Amino acid sequence: MRFSYSGHKNASMIWEEIDKQLTELGQQHALRRRRTLASPCGVEAEFDGQKFLAFGSNDYLGLAAEPALIEAARQAASKWGVGAGSSHLVGGHMMPHDQLEKALASFLCAERALVFSTGMMANLGIVPALMGRDDAIFADRLNHASLIDAALLSRADHLRYPHNDMAALEKQLASSTAKRKMILTDAVFSMDGDLAPLPQLMQLAERFDAWLVVDDAHGFGVLGKNGRGALSHFGMKMHPRLLYMGTLGKAAGVSGAFVAGSTNVIEWLLQRARTYIFTTASSPILAATLLASIDLIDQGEARRAHLQRLIARLQQGLANTRWNLMPSPTAIQPIVIGENEEALRVAEALYAQGIWVPAIRPPTVPKGTARLRVSLSAAHTVEQVDRLVNALRKLA
Ligand SMILES: *Cc1c(COP(=O)(O)O)cnc(C)c1O
């Protein structure tokens, strides 16, 4: 329904443009559509009145509907209520929030951690709190949208280097005259599944006196010893110039994010990160549930070993077919198709067989690289991965 503004000359300008752009998006097969799930997050998803085998969530360890966590949430609701009531600095910081920060710092062998409501908010808070107009940010071209927006919001110079190109980054750093420098990178690239060369990035950060901010949304819980993430995967330790950010809505199965680092920089973020300060603290239920989730991650070797078996199974199953899996060692296993229309066609063909794999299109990925983003979870069985492989082989 549309209101009539017939009395106002030119008033329709404001929506005619949007109508036109929406039509164009439709013509480019770029309109996004949501599926409304009638089931909890899991490998069997129900929507449109049907059940599907799902390969679309980032619930890599299968914790989102884990009974032990549901029980932790129930108990937390009884003990703490459902809402925090105000922001952390005003009066909403409760014991579960505090315990979660301490548990994360201890799990990661970091001096201190700060918990944000989402990963988007963490990145939008961290970067502008540390960088400003006279500074320069060096960012991988495939970084997540939240890191791109964080850099823009900071008003610092934003230099983007070709994906994982250390020589290009080194050149940019060497020629910079900025007061302060920061290197920003995904640890596991969210649409490709490959890793950033963190040891080399750390060396460059040292050499050019820069911060290194690592966003490990897809590595935390999955990679490294006990799921400690990408730093552990590379045998790296925390360092005063390193900020390690992770999210809690993916492998951790709940919602939220954190940044870990040395005491003073975390204190500074607490004082200055606007997305931490000017927002209501997240529900204590989430914090208490996450405390239980960290334990399951810590003890999750069997889940992680099973996930690795599934990754190998998918890779072997699709080897020597027309389906090009990107070279990814993680749970994110994208199949690059190319054009939007073709990617949608393959996704539709799988859908017709009761298999749900999201087609990812620009602007989420570069033009001409539309893909099926297969995302595996420890909750999948070998048979379920085989079902996907067989369906794809038949389509090839
Ligand atoms: C998902 C994601 C985020 C955002 O985290 P949310 O908690 O979902 O807001 C940030 N960075 C990367 C790399 C991500 O994949």
Side-chain angles (χ1 to χ4, degrees):
M1 199 193 76
R2 183 170 289 161
F3 296 100
S4 168
Y5 289 95
S6 50
H8 296 251
K9 208 168 126 231
N10 289 340
S12 65
M13 282 296 290
I14 55 174
W15 63 72
E16 267 175 13
E17 183 65 19
I18 286 185
D19 287 355
K20 187 166 144 272
Q21 286 172 335
L22 281 173
T23 306
E24 279 170 18
L25 282 180
Q27 286 161 351
Q28 295 158 8
H29 303 278
L31 267 185
R32 317 276 297 252
R33 130 164 201 250
R34 301 176 300 177
R35 317 263 193 206
T36 303
L37 299 185
S39 57
C41 174
V43 297
E44 303 240 356
E46 196 179 327
F47 55 87
D48 298 350
Q50 261 179 278
K51 286 207 169 81
F52 293 86
L53 174 57
F55 292 93
S57 97
N58 303 311
D59 179 26
Y60 303 123
L61 298 181
L63 295 181
E66 159 68 35
L69 296 186
I70 295 171
E71 186 49 34
R74 248 191 246 287
Q75 287 180 18
S78 303
K79 181 154 184 199
W80 298 101
V82 295
S86 62
S87 64
H88 286 278
L89 299 187
V90 168
H93 192 64
M94 300 163 100
M95 284 173 82
H97 298 118
D98 211 59
Q99 286 163 350
L100 176 60
E101 290 183 348
K102 293 197 166 88
L104 284 164
S106 147
F107 182 59
L108 296 162
C109 305
E111 286 178 12
R112 206 173 158 190
L114 188 68
V115 169
F116 288 75
S117 295
T118 71
M120 182 72 163
M121 287 169 71
N123 287 337
L124 293 182
I126 297 165
V127 177
L130 295 171
M131 305 296 279
R133 277 187 201 286
D134 299 322
D135 304 329
I137 291 170
F138 304 84
D140 191 289
R141 207 171 263 292
L142 293 190
N143 276 351
H144 188 262
S146 58
L147 290 175
I148 297 172
D149 290 359
L152 294 175
L153 193 58
S154 76
R155 298 185 172 88
D157 268 355
H158 188 197
L159 292 98
R160 298 176 76 188
Y161 55 89
H163 180 48
N164 278 348
D165 186 339
M166 294 299 101
L169 170 59
E170 182 180 343
K171 258 196 206 139
Q172 289 180 353
L173 284 163
S175 61
S176 171
T177 55
K179 199 171 83 194
R180 293 176 299 192
K181 305 184 185 78
M182 173 184 279
I183 302 170
L184 263 187
T185 189
D186 283 23
V188 175
F189 288 87
S190 53
M191 294 301 138
D192 292 41
D194 60 336
L195 301 179
L198 296 183
Q200 287 94 310
L201 286 165
M202 192 66 210
Q203 277 172 12
L204 288 174
E206 285 277 36
R207 220 173 106 203
F208 293 99
D209 189 23
W211 289 109
L212 174 60
V213 175
V214 172
D215 175 340
D216 202 18
H218 301 276
F220 178 74
V222 178
L223 298 176
K225 190 168 177 301
N226 299 81
R228 287 187 170 83
L231 295 180
S232 164
H233 171 86
F234 284 110
M236 293 166 71
K237 294 207 165 69
M238 291 300 300
H239 185 283
R241 68 170 67 254
L242 178 73
L243 280 166
Y244 176 80
M245 176 272 188
T247 66
L248 300 168
K250 290 172 180 159
V254 187
S255 150
F258 65 86
V259 56
S262 52
T263 306
N264 277 358
V265 64
I266 296 298
E267 181 62 25
W268 176 252
L269 293 177
L270 191 159
Q271 301 297 329
R272 281 292 181 272
R274 295 170 69 83
T275 54
Y276 182 78
I277 300 169
F278 299 107
T279 191
T280 302
S282 65
S283 166
I285 300 176
L286 300 181
T289 308
L290 282 162
L291 267 172
S293 171
I294 304 298
D295 281 341
L296 292 183
I297 288 174
D298 194 8
Q299 300 151 21
E301 287 306 331
R303 288 176 199 263
R304 283 183 287 275
H306 179 61
L307 182 59
Q308 284 309 318
R309 273 196 297 278
L310 298 178
I311 295 168
R313 187 91 179 175
L314 180 75
Q315 290 174 337
Q316 284 154 17
L318 294 182
N320 307 316
T321 68
R322 70 168 271 225
W323 306 112
N324 287 323
L325 277 176
M326 298 186 78
S328 155
T330 67
I332 303 167
Q333 292 289 320
I335 302 171
V336 176
I337 309 264
E339 293 311 312
N340 292 351
E341 207 176 345
E342 171 76 356
L344 283 180
R345 228 173 33 76
V346 180
E348 284 295 326
L350 290 172
Y351 178 87
Q353 298 178 54
I355 300 175
W356 181 31
V357 182
I360 308 283
R361 287 157 283 164
T364 310
V365 294
K367 250 191 141 115
T369 70
R371 65 199 66 182
L372 295 183
R373 182 180 181 273
V374 177
S375 154
L376 296 172
S377 162
H380 285 118
T381 62
V382 170
E383 291 70 30
Q384 288 170 327
V385 171
D386 287 349
R387 210 181 126 200
L388 172 65
V389 165
N390 291 334
L392 280 166
R393 291 186 75 106
K394 267 198 218 116
L395 287 174

